[in-house]
Amino acid sequence: VDAGRDWVKRLEDAKLKEAWDGAMARETRLSKELQEAKDAARNRETQLLQRLNFTGLREADLQRTMNSVRQHEADLERMLNLALLRAADLQRTLNSTRQREMKL
């Protein structure tokens, strides 16, 4: 019976670790994507401002483009926040599992 519990515990721990590692990898990837999006937005904004100075782009067109870039950045931030919430859920689950183990 103890061997069976140990096996189940190891299986649960392995699944939780795999889920945790996946969540952390996703968080890292989303953080990197967010930073890249922010950098790209800044670069794009600079490019658009330069084009505005040199080609007389209409201000409304520039504003729509910058809003689109900012919307993409906000979408990436929401995805990152979801990944962080998932990581926190996994951490709580892991902590709960460990507490149950300690009671056994």
Side-chain angles (χ1 to χ4, degrees), residues 18-94:
E18 182 180 330
W20 174 259
D21 289 347
M24 294 310 295
R26 180 174 166 86
E27 177 188 353
T28 300
R29 181 179 53 82
L30 289 174
S31 292
K32 181 180 176 189
E33 286 180 17
L34 177 60
Q35 187 58 49
E36 289 171 355
K38 285 180 178 181
D39 292 345
R42 281 188 214 99
N43 290 339
R44 181 69 175 145
E45 187 173 15
T46 299
Q47 291 172 354
L48 289 173
L49 289 171
Q50 288 171 347
R51 283 182 65 194
L52 178 62
N53 289 335
F54 291 117
T55 64
L57 284 176
R58 292 188 340 242
E59 187 175 328
D61 291 340
L62 176 60
Q63 189 62 46
R64 278 192 298 275
T65 301
M66 290 186 338
N67 288 343
S68 176
V69 168
R70 288 184 182 123
Q71 180 62 45
H72 181 64
E73 185 177 300
D75 291 343
L76 286 172
E77 284 193 49
R78 279 191 292 279
M79 290 171 63
L80 176 60
N81 287 335
L82 288 173
L84 290 171
L85 287 173
R86 178 68 178 137
D89 286 344
L90 289 170
Q91 184 63 51
R92 282 191 292 276
T93 302
L94 181 60

Side-chain angles (χ1 to χ4, degrees), residues 5-16:
R5 278 192 212 146
D6 287 345
W7 182 82
V8 168
K9 178 196 157 309
R10 284 192 305 275
L11 181 62
E12 286 176 348
D13 284 352
K15 286 181 180 179
L16 286 172

